[in-house]
Short mmCIF file of all heavy atoms in Angstrom, two decimals:
data_model
loop_
_atom_site.label_atom_id
_atom_site.label_comp_id
_atom_site.label_asym_id
_atom_site.label_seq_id
_atom_site.Cartn_x
_atom_site.Cartn_y
_atom_site.Cartn_z
N GLU A 106 6.24 24.97 37.12
CA GLU A 106 5.85 26.03 38.19
C GLU A 106 4.35 26.16 38.23
O GLU A 106 3.83 26.52 37.17
CB GLU A 106 6.64 27.34 38.10
CG GLU A 106 8.14 27.17 38.57
CD GLU A 106 8.89 26.29 37.65
OE1 GLU A 106 8.66 26.27 36.40
OE2 GLU A 106 9.77 25.58 38.01
N GLY A 107 3.71 26.25 39.43
CA GLY A 107 2.43 26.50 39.69
C GLY A 107 1.38 25.52 39.02
O GLY A 107 0.13 25.73 39.05
N VAL A 108 1.89 24.30 38.71
CA VAL A 108 0.98 23.21 38.27
C VAL A 108 0.20 22.58 39.41
O VAL A 108 0.81 22.50 40.58
CB VAL A 108 1.72 22.13 37.46
CG1 VAL A 108 0.85 20.95 37.29
CG2 VAL A 108 2.39 22.65 36.09
N ILE A 109 -1.01 22.34 39.24
CA ILE A 109 -1.89 21.54 40.35
C ILE A 109 -2.13 20.23 39.75
O ILE A 109 -2.85 20.09 38.59
CB ILE A 109 -3.12 22.32 40.54
CG1 ILE A 109 -2.67 23.72 41.30
CG2 ILE A 109 -3.93 21.50 41.57
CD1 ILE A 109 -3.86 24.62 41.51
N VAL A 110 -1.86 19.20 40.42
CA VAL A 110 -2.15 17.81 40.02
C VAL A 110 -3.05 17.19 41.08
O VAL A 110 -2.60 17.15 42.33
CB VAL A 110 -0.95 16.91 39.79
CG1 VAL A 110 -1.31 15.56 39.27
CG2 VAL A 110 0.03 17.61 38.77
N HIS A 111 -4.28 16.76 40.69
CA HIS A 111 -5.09 15.99 41.67
C HIS A 111 -5.71 14.84 40.89
O HIS A 111 -5.39 14.75 39.68
CB HIS A 111 -6.26 17.03 42.04
CG HIS A 111 -6.78 16.66 43.46
ND1 HIS A 111 -8.11 17.19 43.77
CD2 HIS A 111 -6.39 15.77 44.37
CE1 HIS A 111 -8.29 16.64 45.04
NE2 HIS A 111 -7.31 15.77 45.29
N ALA A 112 -6.27 13.96 41.65
CA ALA A 112 -6.89 12.66 41.06
C ALA A 112 -8.29 12.64 41.18
O ALA A 112 -8.89 13.21 42.08
CB ALA A 112 -6.25 11.36 41.82
N PRO A 113 -8.98 11.86 40.29
CA PRO A 113 -10.32 11.75 40.42
C PRO A 113 -10.62 10.94 41.70
O PRO A 113 -9.80 10.10 42.23
CB PRO A 113 -10.85 10.82 39.27
CG PRO A 113 -9.72 11.09 38.30
CD PRO A 113 -8.51 11.36 39.01
N PRO A 114 -11.88 11.16 42.44
CA PRO A 114 -12.16 10.56 43.69
C PRO A 114 -12.03 9.14 43.68
O PRO A 114 -12.65 8.47 42.69
CB PRO A 114 -13.49 11.03 43.94
CG PRO A 114 -13.66 12.15 43.16
CD PRO A 114 -12.90 12.10 41.94
N GLY A 115 -11.20 8.51 44.46
CA GLY A 115 -11.06 7.02 44.52
C GLY A 115 -10.29 6.46 43.36
O GLY A 115 -10.38 5.22 43.24
N ASP A 116 -9.57 7.20 42.53
CA ASP A 116 -8.95 6.70 41.27
C ASP A 116 -7.47 7.21 41.38
O ASP A 116 -7.05 7.78 42.42
CB ASP A 116 -9.66 7.22 40.08
CG ASP A 116 -9.64 6.38 38.94
OD1 ASP A 116 -8.62 5.57 38.79
OD2 ASP A 116 -10.39 6.44 37.99
N THR A 117 -6.83 7.01 40.25
CA THR A 117 -5.47 7.24 40.15
C THR A 117 -5.15 8.12 38.89
O THR A 117 -5.77 7.89 37.87
CB THR A 117 -4.56 6.08 40.01
OG1 THR A 117 -4.70 5.25 41.15
CG2 THR A 117 -3.10 6.45 39.89
N ASN A 118 -4.54 9.28 39.11
CA ASN A 118 -4.22 10.17 37.96
C ASN A 118 -2.70 9.56 37.50
O ASN A 118 -1.67 9.91 38.14
CB ASN A 118 -4.10 11.63 38.47
CG ASN A 118 -3.87 12.47 37.20
OD1 ASN A 118 -3.52 12.10 36.10
ND2 ASN A 118 -4.14 13.73 37.60
N GLN A 119 -2.74 8.77 36.30
CA GLN A 119 -1.52 8.31 35.90
C GLN A 119 -0.90 9.22 34.77
O GLN A 119 -1.54 9.56 33.75
CB GLN A 119 -1.79 6.92 35.20
CG GLN A 119 -2.32 5.84 36.20
CD GLN A 119 -2.45 4.53 35.58
OE1 GLN A 119 -3.27 4.46 34.59
NE2 GLN A 119 -1.76 3.48 36.06
N ILE A 120 0.33 9.69 35.09
CA ILE A 120 1.15 10.55 34.10
C ILE A 120 2.20 9.61 33.68
O ILE A 120 3.14 9.27 34.53
CB ILE A 120 1.43 11.83 34.83
CG1 ILE A 120 0.14 12.51 35.36
CG2 ILE A 120 2.18 12.73 33.93
CD1 ILE A 120 0.41 13.75 36.25
N GLY A 121 2.49 9.68 32.43
CA GLY A 121 3.59 8.72 31.85
C GLY A 121 4.91 9.25 31.98
O GLY A 121 5.22 10.16 32.62
N THR A 122 5.79 8.68 31.15
CA THR A 122 7.15 9.01 31.21
C THR A 122 7.48 10.12 30.14
O THR A 122 6.91 10.38 29.19
CB THR A 122 8.05 7.87 30.75
OG1 THR A 122 7.76 7.41 29.38
CG2 THR A 122 7.95 6.66 31.73
N LYS A 123 8.41 11.03 30.52
CA LYS A 123 8.79 12.19 29.59
C LYS A 123 7.67 13.12 29.35
O LYS A 123 7.53 13.43 28.15
CB LYS A 123 9.67 11.68 28.63
CG LYS A 123 11.06 11.23 28.92
CD LYS A 123 12.03 11.02 27.83
CE LYS A 123 13.39 10.66 28.28
NZ LYS A 123 14.32 10.47 27.17
N VAL A 124 6.66 13.23 30.25
CA VAL A 124 5.54 14.14 30.05
C VAL A 124 5.97 15.48 30.31
O VAL A 124 6.79 15.71 31.35
CB VAL A 124 4.44 13.72 30.67
CG1 VAL A 124 3.35 14.68 30.72
CG2 VAL A 124 3.90 12.30 30.29
N THR A 125 5.59 16.55 29.63
CA THR A 125 5.85 17.88 29.96
C THR A 125 4.53 18.54 30.36
O THR A 125 3.65 18.62 29.57
CB THR A 125 6.56 18.70 28.83
OG1 THR A 125 7.79 18.13 28.43
CG2 THR A 125 6.72 20.16 29.13
N ILE A 126 4.44 19.06 31.65
CA ILE A 126 3.29 19.78 31.97
C ILE A 126 3.62 21.24 32.30
O ILE A 126 4.45 21.54 33.24
CB ILE A 126 2.69 19.23 33.34
CG1 ILE A 126 2.43 17.67 33.11
CG2 ILE A 126 1.44 19.85 33.75
CD1 ILE A 126 1.81 16.96 34.27
N GLY A 127 3.28 22.18 31.40
CA GLY A 127 3.58 23.44 31.44
C GLY A 127 3.05 24.32 32.56
O GLY A 127 2.15 23.95 33.32
N HIS A 128 3.76 25.43 32.89
CA HIS A 128 3.52 26.41 33.99
C HIS A 128 1.92 26.66 34.06
O HIS A 128 1.26 27.00 33.24
CB HIS A 128 4.11 27.69 33.76
CG HIS A 128 5.59 27.57 33.52
ND1 HIS A 128 6.63 27.08 34.30
CD2 HIS A 128 6.28 27.94 32.27
CE1 HIS A 128 7.71 27.11 33.75
NE2 HIS A 128 7.51 27.52 32.38
N GLY A 129 1.47 26.44 35.36
CA GLY A 129 0.06 26.81 35.65
C GLY A 129 -0.99 25.97 35.17
O GLY A 129 -2.20 26.31 35.30
N ALA A 130 -0.79 24.87 34.80
CA ALA A 130 -1.71 23.87 34.16
C ALA A 130 -2.50 23.20 35.36
O ALA A 130 -1.78 23.12 36.48
CB ALA A 130 -1.09 22.81 33.30
N VAL A 131 -3.69 22.86 35.27
CA VAL A 131 -4.49 22.12 36.14
C VAL A 131 -4.77 20.75 35.66
O VAL A 131 -5.38 20.56 34.61
CB VAL A 131 -5.83 22.86 36.59
CG1 VAL A 131 -6.71 22.11 37.43
CG2 VAL A 131 -5.51 24.27 37.06
N VAL A 132 -4.15 19.66 36.29
CA VAL A 132 -4.21 18.37 35.77
C VAL A 132 -5.04 17.43 36.89
O VAL A 132 -4.64 17.03 37.81
CB VAL A 132 -2.84 17.75 35.58
CG1 VAL A 132 -2.83 16.46 35.07
CG2 VAL A 132 -1.99 18.60 34.65
N HIS A 133 -6.38 17.27 36.39
CA HIS A 133 -7.26 16.60 37.28
C HIS A 133 -7.75 15.38 36.56
O HIS A 133 -8.89 14.82 36.93
CB HIS A 133 -8.42 17.49 37.72
CG HIS A 133 -9.03 17.16 38.94
ND1 HIS A 133 -9.47 16.01 39.46
CD2 HIS A 133 -9.37 17.98 40.08
CE1 HIS A 133 -9.85 16.01 40.68
NE2 HIS A 133 -9.84 17.22 41.09
N GLY A 134 -7.06 14.92 35.62
CA GLY A 134 -7.51 13.76 34.80
C GLY A 134 -7.22 12.42 35.30
O GLY A 134 -6.86 12.16 36.51
N LYS A 135 -7.28 11.36 34.34
CA LYS A 135 -7.15 10.03 34.64
C LYS A 135 -5.82 9.50 34.13
O LYS A 135 -5.15 8.55 34.69
CB LYS A 135 -8.40 9.26 34.30
CG LYS A 135 -8.26 7.90 34.60
CD LYS A 135 -9.47 7.12 34.21
CE LYS A 135 -9.33 5.53 34.44
NZ LYS A 135 -10.59 4.81 34.25
N PHE A 136 -5.44 10.10 32.85
CA PHE A 136 -4.22 9.45 32.15
C PHE A 136 -3.74 10.39 31.22
O PHE A 136 -4.37 11.15 30.50
CB PHE A 136 -4.83 8.22 31.48
CG PHE A 136 -3.70 7.48 30.59
CD1 PHE A 136 -2.65 6.78 31.12
CD2 PHE A 136 -3.66 7.77 29.22
CE1 PHE A 136 -1.78 6.07 30.41
CE2 PHE A 136 -2.72 7.14 28.46
CZ PHE A 136 -1.72 6.36 28.90
N ILE A 137 -2.40 10.54 31.21
CA ILE A 137 -1.54 11.22 30.24
C ILE A 137 -0.47 10.26 29.78
O ILE A 137 0.31 9.70 30.55
CB ILE A 137 -0.94 12.44 30.75
CG1 ILE A 137 -1.93 13.41 31.49
CG2 ILE A 137 -0.08 13.24 29.89
CD1 ILE A 137 -1.28 14.54 32.13
N GLY A 138 -0.51 10.05 28.51
CA GLY A 138 0.51 9.09 27.81
C GLY A 138 1.78 9.60 27.87
O GLY A 138 2.10 10.67 27.93
N ASN A 139 2.74 8.62 27.58
CA ASN A 139 4.18 8.96 27.44
C ASN A 139 4.41 10.02 26.42
O ASN A 139 3.82 10.05 25.48
CB ASN A 139 5.04 7.61 27.03
CG ASN A 139 5.00 6.56 28.15
OD1 ASN A 139 4.51 6.76 29.35
ND2 ASN A 139 5.18 5.35 27.72
N GLN A 140 5.36 10.91 26.77
CA GLN A 140 5.82 11.88 25.87
C GLN A 140 4.86 12.98 25.49
O GLN A 140 5.20 13.90 24.69
CB GLN A 140 6.32 11.21 24.49
CG GLN A 140 7.41 10.25 24.65
CD GLN A 140 8.82 10.75 24.79
OE1 GLN A 140 9.04 11.90 24.60
NE2 GLN A 140 9.81 9.96 25.25
N ALA A 141 3.75 12.96 26.18
CA ALA A 141 2.63 13.98 25.90
C ALA A 141 3.28 15.49 26.43
O ALA A 141 4.05 15.39 27.34
CB ALA A 141 1.46 13.67 26.52
N VAL A 142 2.55 16.50 25.84
CA VAL A 142 2.88 17.68 26.30
C VAL A 142 1.63 18.44 26.65
O VAL A 142 0.66 18.43 25.88
CB VAL A 142 3.53 18.65 25.10
CG1 VAL A 142 3.71 20.07 25.58
CG2 VAL A 142 4.89 18.03 24.74
N ILE A 143 1.47 18.99 27.86
CA ILE A 143 0.41 19.68 28.41
C ILE A 143 0.67 21.05 28.42
O ILE A 143 1.59 21.52 29.27
CB ILE A 143 -0.09 19.21 29.71
CG1 ILE A 143 -0.32 17.57 29.77
CG2 ILE A 143 -1.36 19.86 30.18
CD1 ILE A 143 -1.19 17.17 28.66
N GLY A 144 0.18 22.09 27.54
CA GLY A 144 0.62 23.45 27.40
C GLY A 144 0.31 24.24 28.75
O GLY A 144 -0.49 23.88 29.56
N MET A 145 0.99 25.40 28.74
CA MET A 145 0.81 26.31 29.93
C MET A 145 -0.67 26.82 30.03
O MET A 145 -1.29 27.07 29.10
CB MET A 145 1.73 27.56 29.81
CG MET A 145 3.23 27.24 29.75
SD MET A 145 4.23 28.70 29.53
CE MET A 145 3.91 29.13 27.80
N GLY A 146 -1.11 26.69 31.29
CA GLY A 146 -2.44 27.16 31.68
C GLY A 146 -3.54 26.37 31.17
O GLY A 146 -4.72 26.66 31.26
N SER A 147 -3.34 25.20 30.73
CA SER A 147 -4.26 24.12 30.19
C SER A 147 -5.07 23.62 31.41
O SER A 147 -4.55 23.50 32.49
CB SER A 147 -3.66 23.05 29.50
OG SER A 147 -3.04 23.47 28.33
N ILE A 148 -6.27 23.14 31.19
CA ILE A 148 -7.05 22.38 32.10
C ILE A 148 -7.42 21.15 31.73
O ILE A 148 -8.12 20.99 30.51
CB ILE A 148 -8.40 23.26 32.50
CG1 ILE A 148 -7.91 24.65 33.20
CG2 ILE A 148 -9.31 22.49 33.43
CD1 ILE A 148 -9.23 25.53 33.39
N LEU A 149 -7.05 20.13 32.44
CA LEU A 149 -7.54 18.71 32.16
C LEU A 149 -8.43 18.26 33.14
O LEU A 149 -8.24 18.01 34.23
CB LEU A 149 -6.38 17.64 32.13
CG LEU A 149 -5.23 18.13 31.26
CD1 LEU A 149 -4.22 16.95 31.28
CD2 LEU A 149 -5.46 18.50 29.83
N SER A 150 -9.81 18.25 32.85
CA SER A 150 -10.92 17.98 33.87
C SER A 150 -10.92 16.51 34.25
O SER A 150 -10.17 15.83 33.80
CB SER A 150 -12.23 18.42 33.12
OG SER A 150 -13.15 18.41 34.15
N VAL A 151 -11.88 16.29 35.16
CA VAL A 151 -11.83 15.02 35.82
C VAL A 151 -12.06 13.88 34.84
O VAL A 151 -12.87 13.92 33.98
CB VAL A 151 -12.85 15.12 36.93
CG1 VAL A 151 -13.03 13.69 37.65
CG2 VAL A 151 -12.76 16.18 37.82
N TRP A 152 -11.32 12.83 35.00
CA TRP A 152 -11.43 11.54 34.19
C TRP A 152 -11.04 11.77 32.80
O TRP A 152 -11.32 10.95 31.81
CB TRP A 152 -12.60 10.90 34.33
CG TRP A 152 -12.90 10.17 35.69
CD1 TRP A 152 -12.10 9.08 36.11
CD2 TRP A 152 -13.77 10.39 36.74
NE1 TRP A 152 -12.41 8.63 37.33
CE2 TRP A 152 -13.54 9.42 37.79
CE3 TRP A 152 -14.87 11.26 36.83
CZ2 TRP A 152 -14.33 9.43 38.89
CZ3 TRP A 152 -15.74 11.14 37.94
CH2 TRP A 152 -15.38 10.30 39.00
N SER A 153 -10.48 12.82 32.48
CA SER A 153 -10.04 13.09 31.04
C SER A 153 -8.73 12.17 30.80
O SER A 153 -8.09 11.78 31.69
CB SER A 153 -9.66 14.56 30.79
OG SER A 153 -8.73 15.06 31.70
N GLU A 154 -8.53 11.95 29.51
CA GLU A 154 -7.39 11.21 29.14
C GLU A 154 -6.68 11.74 27.86
O GLU A 154 -7.32 12.20 26.93
CB GLU A 154 -7.87 9.69 28.74
CG GLU A 154 -8.49 8.93 29.80
CD GLU A 154 -8.90 7.59 29.51
OE1 GLU A 154 -8.21 6.91 28.77
OE2 GLU A 154 -9.87 7.07 30.06
N ILE A 155 -5.34 11.69 27.97
CA ILE A 155 -4.43 12.37 26.94
C ILE A 155 -3.56 11.29 26.23
O ILE A 155 -2.92 10.58 27.02
CB ILE A 155 -3.63 13.45 27.30
CG1 ILE A 155 -4.46 14.58 28.09
CG2 ILE A 155 -2.86 14.17 26.21
CD1 ILE A 155 -5.62 15.19 27.41
N GLY A 156 -3.67 11.00 24.93
CA GLY A 156 -2.94 9.95 24.33
C GLY A 156 -1.42 10.20 24.19
O GLY A 156 -0.94 11.29 24.42
N GLU A 157 -0.70 9.11 24.08
CA GLU A 157 0.81 9.24 23.96
C GLU A 157 1.24 10.33 23.01
O GLU A 157 0.71 10.30 21.82
CB GLU A 157 1.26 7.80 23.60
CG GLU A 157 2.76 7.77 23.56
CD GLU A 157 3.32 6.38 23.18
OE1 GLU A 157 2.55 5.45 23.34
OE2 GLU A 157 4.47 6.20 22.87
N SER A 158 2.09 11.04 23.19
CA SER A 158 2.92 11.98 22.34
C SER A 158 1.97 13.16 21.86
O SER A 158 2.35 13.99 21.06
CB SER A 158 3.40 11.24 21.19
OG SER A 158 4.45 10.40 21.63
N SER A 159 0.72 13.21 22.45
CA SER A 159 -0.13 14.31 21.98
C SER A 159 0.27 15.60 22.59
O SER A 159 0.89 15.65 23.68
CB SER A 159 -1.54 14.02 22.41
OG SER A 159 -2.08 13.16 21.46
N ILE A 160 -0.04 16.72 21.97
CA ILE A 160 0.28 18.07 22.46
C ILE A 160 -0.97 18.86 22.66
O ILE A 160 -1.81 18.89 21.75
CB ILE A 160 1.12 18.70 21.39
CG1 ILE A 160 2.51 18.04 21.18
CG2 ILE A 160 1.33 20.19 21.86
CD1 ILE A 160 3.31 18.59 19.95
N ILE A 161 -1.17 19.34 23.88
CA ILE A 161 -2.37 20.14 24.29
C ILE A 161 -1.93 21.49 24.40
O ILE A 161 -1.08 21.96 25.15
CB ILE A 161 -2.83 19.69 25.73
CG1 ILE A 161 -3.16 18.12 25.81
CG2 ILE A 161 -4.15 20.51 26.01
CD1 ILE A 161 -4.25 17.78 24.71
N ALA A 162 -2.41 22.34 23.46
CA ALA A 162 -1.94 23.77 23.25
C ALA A 162 -2.22 24.60 24.64
O ALA A 162 -3.08 24.27 25.32
CB ALA A 162 -2.64 24.42 22.05
N GLU A 163 -1.48 25.69 24.76
CA GLU A 163 -1.58 26.59 25.86
C GLU A 163 -3.10 27.02 25.95
O GLU A 163 -3.84 27.35 25.10
CB GLU A 163 -0.77 27.87 25.75
CG GLU A 163 0.73 27.56 25.94
CD GLU A 163 1.41 27.15 24.43
OE1 GLU A 163 0.72 26.77 23.57
OE2 GLU A 163 2.57 27.37 24.38
N GLY A 164 -3.62 26.92 27.26
CA GLY A 164 -4.84 27.40 27.61
C GLY A 164 -6.02 26.50 27.09
O GLY A 164 -7.25 26.92 27.28
#
Side-chain angles (χ1 to χ4, degrees):
E106 286 65 36
V108 169
I109 297 174
V110 182
H111 204 193
D116 209 335
T117 300
N118 191 343
Q119 294 182 308
I120 298 170
T122 61
K123 290 191 174 180
V124 171
T125 299
I126 304 178
H128 311 292
V131 177
V132 179
H133 210 314
K135 182 176 181 178
F136 175 79
I137 301 176
N139 298 340
Q140 302 280 344
V142 176
I143 310 302
M145 296 181 290
S147 297
I148 298 173
L149 308 187
S150 192
V151 184
W152 284 299
S153 61
E154 300 182 32
I155 309 300
E157 181 176 348
S158 298
S159 282
I160 298 172
I161 306 301
E163 291 89 339

